[in-house]
């Protein structure tokens, strides 16, 4: 297949896949039917396809009208979906097992997934521990399937000619995950005192739990910050988004390519999400507003993705619109996500005056999630470096995550709390880039940069490049130098 035809097919596949996700998670379709969709496009990520793209890559010449970086993105796409195909049977078994699993709780039956919602709303710490134990039993029974899934991913990588799973991602995505390890560990160390002191105080004040007793099952309840709900009414969420965009001179009413889906439907997924059905022409921004700070943050995060993709130039190839460095879109998403941790935004847009406590807590929650992902990356590098998935890794997982977050983790989650393809590293790189970018926006356009037309134009120029450049290249082009944890570290420095 010529490269032009391959791109067309990738575009068609991405559109169908995104539409299927949108229809299912927005509650407009009963079942998520991915199997036949993956079958229909299987030529795009077969062994032959991977070989073909490698051939284009080695012969990169004008006749393919593609530069090597573009072909690398197509190769990363093919390899990633090849791994999905190779594990699809077992992935389906896992999701079927989990979606049917039930937990007996306080005289009623809870679905496994439902138990996490109950957990986040349970005010009694000992009840939370008990419920988490029951959920842990469900997780434990699924661990053999998950071990098998990792073994198949590894076999598939070797069959594609990569020495390992880590090597497959490092070489196709051009991200040196192991070199991220050192600065991230230094970040953990440098923020440790501020984190521990703030967390001890906040846990005592907010949920009456001592730092030594803090458990992973407390995280959801603690993060809700329920007492601030009156400042984040569900009725005002969309108006708050509109006002934030208006500050950047983005008139959302005129953005016909970004559709806001706020209609309540019984089966609609409760959390906000963004479905880029066609970039930039058909972007769905979906939410059922519930109110509360985390609801606002989740929606603003997805709005960041939507604006990025909605402003992406349609002249770019599919790989430069949709298949690049995932940290880039995540950084734009974090930029809006953390409006709620910005004192000027809280005052100017939300009209939340006495926000000192709230602001300190938001800072702490941000640091908590970054530290959690630092712990995850540290563990994942060890897991994927290990020749087999053995039980010792479970205690390593619990130790690293507990050390990083100070919440006691249960070893049982060592394969459950794990994303494919080093997404943990993508998030970490996004947090680093976002902090540098926001620092730049503040210096150039003032502390209230979110009310500056010029800042809006600057962002649109960046968004227009879609995913053509990686986070490292963008940072260099803006004049920020290389990706560096300095700006991120400074966010947690003043109160240390
Ligand atoms: Zn995101």
């Amino acid at each position: 297949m010529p490269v032009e035809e391959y791109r067309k097919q990738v575009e068609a596949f991405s559109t169908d896949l995104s539409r299927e996700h949108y229809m299912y998670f927005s509650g407009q379709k009963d079942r998520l039917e991915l199997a036949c969709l993956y079958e229909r496009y299987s030529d795009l990520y077969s062994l032959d396809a991977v070989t073909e793209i490698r051939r284009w890559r080695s012969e990169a010449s004008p006749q393919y009208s593609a530069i090597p970086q573009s072909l690398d993105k197509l190769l990363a796409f093919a390899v990633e979906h090849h791994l999905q195909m190779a594990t699809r049977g077992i992935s389906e078994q896992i999701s079927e097992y989990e979606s049917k699993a039930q937990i007996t709780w306080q005289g009623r039956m809870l679905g496994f997934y439902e138990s996490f919602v109950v957990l986040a709303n349970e005010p009694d710490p000992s009840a939370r521990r008990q419920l988490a134990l029951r959920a842990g039993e469900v997780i434990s029974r699924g661990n053999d399937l998950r071990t098998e899934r990792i073994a198949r991913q590894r076999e598939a990588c070797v069959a594609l000619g990569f020495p390992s799973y880590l090597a497959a991602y490092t070489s196709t995505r051009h991200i040196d995950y192991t070199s991220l390890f050192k600065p991230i560990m230094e970040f953990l160390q440098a923020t440790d005192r501020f984190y521990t002191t703030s967390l001890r105080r906040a846990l005592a004040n907010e949920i009456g739990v001592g730092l030594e007793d803090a458990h992973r099952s407390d995280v959801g309840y603690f993060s809700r910050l329920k007492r601030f709900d009156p400042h984040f009414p569900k009725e005002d969420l969309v108006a708050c988004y509109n006002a934030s965009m208006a500050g950047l001179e983005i008139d959302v009413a005129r953005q016909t390519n970004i559709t806001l889906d706020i209609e309540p439907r019984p089966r609609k997924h409760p959390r906000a999400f963004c479905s880029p059905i066609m970039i930039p022409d058909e972007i769905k921004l979906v939410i059922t507003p519930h109110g509360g700070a985390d609801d606002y943050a989740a929606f603003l995060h997805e709005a960041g993705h939507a604006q990025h993709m909605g402003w992406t130039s349609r002249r770019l190839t599919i790989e430069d619109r949709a298949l690049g460095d995932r940290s880039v879109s995540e950084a734009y998403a974090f930029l809006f996500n953390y409006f709620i941790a910005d004192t000027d935004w809280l005052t100017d847009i939300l009209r939340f005056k006495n926000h000192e406590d709230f602001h300190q807590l938001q800072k702490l929650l941000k640091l908590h999630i970054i530290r959690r992902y630092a712990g995850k990356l540290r563990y994942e590098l060890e897991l994927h470096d290990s020749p087999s998935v053995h039980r010792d890794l479970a205690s390593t997982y619990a130790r690293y995550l507990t050390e990083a977050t100070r919440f006691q983790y249960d070893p049982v989650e060592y394969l459950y709390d794990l994303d494919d393809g080093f997404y943990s590293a993508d998030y970490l790189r996004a947090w680093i880039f976002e902090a540098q970018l926001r620092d730049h926006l503040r210096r150039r356009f003032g502390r209230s940069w979110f009310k500056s037309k010029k800042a809006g134009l600057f962002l649109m120029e960046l968004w227009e490049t879609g995913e053509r450049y990686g986070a490292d290249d963008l940072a260099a082009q803006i004049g920020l130098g290389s990706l560096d944890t300095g700006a991120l570290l400074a966010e947690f420095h003043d109160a240390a």
Side-chain angles (χ1 to χ4, degrees):
M1 177 188 320
V3 70
E4 277 311 323
E5 180 56 27
Y6 187 81
R7 283 181 171 140
K8 263 190 216 143
Q9 291 289 319
V10 170
E11 176 111 53
F13 168 71
S14 304
T15 295
D16 287 354
L17 187 64
S18 201
R19 198 184 299 282
E20 181 68 18
H21 276 120
Y22 166 65
M23 293 302 283
Y24 175 72
F25 289 108
S26 65
Q28 299 178 74
K29 195 169 176 291
D30 286 346
R31 293 181 54 215
L32 183 63
E33 291 169 292
L34 296 179
C36 61
L37 204 152
Y38 264 89
E39 274 319 321
R40 197 177 335 141
Y41 291 99
S42 58
D43 284 355
L44 295 178
Y45 25 80
S46 62
L47 187 57
D48 286 350
V50 172
T51 310
E52 178 84 345
I53 300 168
R54 281 178 169 148
R55 195 173 59 77
W56 295 336
R57 177 72 177 79
S58 67
E59 294 171 5
S61 68
Q63 78 181 92
Y64 295 117
S65 66
I67 52 173
Q69 291 93 313
S70 281
L71 292 172
D72 285 343
K73 288 178 193 161
L74 294 179
L75 182 62
F77 161 87
V79 168
E80 195 165 314
H81 289 284
H82 182 85
L83 297 182
Q84 294 293 343
M85 276 296 270
T87 54
R88 74 189 185 287
I90 201 144
S91 304
E92 277 167 16
Q93 280 183 55
I94 293 168
S95 60
E96 200 183 320
Y97 162 70
E98 285 173 358
S99 62
K100 286 186 179 158
Q102 300 238 305
I103 293 168
T104 318
W105 182 244
Q106 297 177 339
R108 68 182 182 112
M109 297 300 275
L110 282 186
F112 171 64
Y113 296 130
E114 198 188 353
S115 73
F116 294 101
V117 181
V118 174
L119 193 63
N121 289 292
E122 173 56 63
D124 175 16
S126 63
R128 287 199 294 269
R129 311 262 179 299
Q130 282 303 318
L131 182 54
L133 269 178
R134 304 276 170 82
E137 288 161 12
V138 174
I139 292 172
S140 172
R141 287 194 291 273
N143 276 345
D144 285 348
L145 284 172
R146 291 187 179 274
T147 305
E148 178 62 26
R149 185 171 181 272
I150 293 174
R152 292 201 195 166
Q153 280 176 335
R154 290 178 174 191
E155 284 161 20
C157 287
V158 172
L160 290 176
F162 298 105
S164 68
Y165 185 79
L166 176 61
Y169 275 91
T170 305
S171 76
T172 59
R173 291 209 160 260
H174 294 277
I175 294 170
D176 183 355
Y177 299 101
T178 48
S179 75
L180 195 58
F181 178 72
K182 192 169 168 271
I184 288 298
M185 287 301 110
E186 286 166 359
F187 176 84
L188 274 180
Q189 202 167 23
T191 56
D192 203 58
R193 197 165 60 96
F194 169 65
Y195 180 71
T196 312
T197 314
S198 314
L199 184 63
R200 184 188 295 282
R201 195 185 319 127
L203 283 173
N205 289 346
E206 302 300 320
I207 61 167
V209 168
L211 184 65
E212 283 67 30
D213 303 320
H215 189 268
R216 154 92 151 141
S217 58
D218 296 325
V219 174
Y221 186 71
F222 171 58
S223 311
R224 269 289 280 112
L225 300 181
K226 230 175 157 52
R227 72 177 167 107
F228 297 99
D229 280 0
H231 296 283
F232 299 89
K234 65 178 180 184
E235 298 76 22
D236 294 354
L237 173 62
V238 173
C240 165
Y241 163 61
N242 292 351
S244 302
M245 295 304 102
L248 295 164
E249 296 241 349
I250 296 171
D251 182 357
V252 293
R254 288 181 52 202
Q255 287 188 300
T256 50
N257 57 339
I258 301 177
T259 319
L260 200 58
D261 176 346
I262 49 168
E263 203 184 307
R265 298 182 195 99
R267 283 193 319 275
K268 196 172 178 183
H269 190 66
R271 215 169 159 77
F273 64 96
C274 170
S275 284
I277 293 175
M278 251 189 292
I279 302 173
D281 294 313
E282 192 180 352
I283 314 287
K284 306 281 187 192
L285 182 52
V286 192
I287 191 170
T288 313
H290 291 282
D294 55 347
D295 199 31
Y296 273 54
F299 179 69
L300 290 166
H301 179 103
E302 298 308 321
H305 283 304
Q307 290 298 336
H308 168 221
M309 296 190 259
W311 287 98
T312 291
S313 167
R314 67 174 59 77
R315 288 196 303 273
L316 294 171
T317 58
I318 178 69
E319 61 270 27
D320 286 346
R321 276 178 287 136
L323 306 178
D325 180 354
R326 296 182 292 208
S327 309
V328 171
S329 200
E330 292 303 343
Y332 299 136
F334 284 145
L335 194 64
F336 289 180
N337 185 146
Y338 291 116
F339 275 153
I340 71 158
D342 185 317
T343 51
D344 297 285
W345 184 87
L346 289 170
T347 309
D348 290 354
I349 305 283
L350 205 63
R351 311 261 173 237
F352 180 177
K353 297 277 185 288
N354 301 314
H355 54 242
E356 191 43 40
D357 281 0
F358 177 79
H359 174 242
Q360 289 304 327
L361 287 163
Q362 282 304 323
K363 234 162 70 161
L364 173 63
L365 288 179
K366 180 176 182 182
L367 185 54
H368 162 260
I369 190 95
I370 297 170
R371 290 177 63 99
R372 174 171 139 73
Y373 273 81
K376 271 162 77 84
L377 177 69
R378 185 183 178 200
Y379 160 68
E380 282 172 36
L381 289 172
E382 207 158 306
L383 166 74
H384 289 297
D385 191 42
S386 162
S388 67
V389 177
H390 51 82
R391 280 294 299 174
D392 287 354
L393 287 161
S395 45
T396 304
Y397 161 79
R399 191 168 75 248
Y400 289 175
L401 270 292
T402 304
E403 267 175 34
T405 65
R406 297 285 189 274
F407 289 93
Q408 196 68 46
Y409 270 66
D410 189 333
V412 77
E413 284 191 58
Y414 77 124
L415 302 176
Y416 175 81
D417 184 19
L418 181 69
D419 302 312
D420 286 343
F422 298 97
Y423 218 104
S424 55
D426 293 327
Y427 275 137
L428 288 165
R429 294 171 73 251
W431 275 306
I432 295 168
F433 179 44
E434 181 251 353
Q436 287 177 280
L437 180 59
R438 187 143 37 82
D439 193 43
H440 178 78
L441 287 164
R442 279 185 165 177
R443 273 187 285 113
R444 195 158 152 193
F445 306 107
R447 288 187 62 88
S448 295
W449 60 268
F450 46 83
K451 290 199 300 187
S452 152
K453 180 183 179 174
K454 283 184 179 165
L457 288 170
F458 171 77
L459 284 172
M460 286 171 214
E461 260 180 56
L462 288 181
W463 291 334
E464 203 181 0
T465 64
E467 296 191 358
R468 182 175 185 142
Y469 307 107
D472 306 79
D473 295 336
L474 273 185
Q477 285 176 27
I478 300 167
L480 308 173
S482 54
L483 287 192
D484 181 281
T485 53
L488 190 59
L489 207 49
E491 290 185 20
F492 308 107
H493 202 256
D494 52 348

